[in-house]
């Protein structure tokens, strides 16, 4: 929730670091070019970190454990 924020700044980026969307407005105050650059850098850093976490989650989800496979086989009547 950003209702208490002085600045509302939304950034959407691709996995390769290209911008899809940048939208910012001073809700309660104006912001400088230096502050905007800092927000873009933080957005880039956050996007990179999220991309790594998403990749790790996808890889983990694609590798079921042996127990999970045994349970699935049992559910289908195969041992």
């Amino acid at each position: 929730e950003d209702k208490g924020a002085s600045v509302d700044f939304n950034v959407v980026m691709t996995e390769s670091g290209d911008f899809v969307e940048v939208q910012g407005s001073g809700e309660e105050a104006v912001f400088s070019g230096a502050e905007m650059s800092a927000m873009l850098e933080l957005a880039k850093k956050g996007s990179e970190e999220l991309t790594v976490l998403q990749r790790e989650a996808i890889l983990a989800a694609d590798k079921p454990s042996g127990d999970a496979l045994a349970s699935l086989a049992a559910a289908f009547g195969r041992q």
Side-chain angles (χ1 to χ4, degrees):
E1 190 67 37
D2 62 0
K3 66 182 177 185
S6 296
V7 175
D8 184 7
F9 201 79
N10 304 306
V11 179
V12 179
M13 298 180 76
T14 66
E15 180 179 353
S16 62
D18 294 322
F19 293 99
V20 175
E21 176 183 351
V22 176
Q23 180 180 2
S25 62
E27 300 292 322
E28 300 294 327
V30 297
F31 54 94
S32 69
E35 290 169 320
M36 184 174 71
S37 293
M39 287 185 277
L40 286 171
E41 285 302 314
L42 284 171
K44 182 179 177 186
K45 182 178 182 287
S47 180
E48 290 168 352
E49 291 173 4
L50 284 172
T51 298
V52 169
L53 291 171
Q54 288 172 336
R55 220 181 258 132
E56 289 172 356
I58 290 167
L59 288 173
D62 285 345
K63 294 181 183 178
S65 68
D67 292 341
L69 292 175
S71 296
L72 183 60
F76 284 96
R78 298 179 185 200
Q79 299 271 339

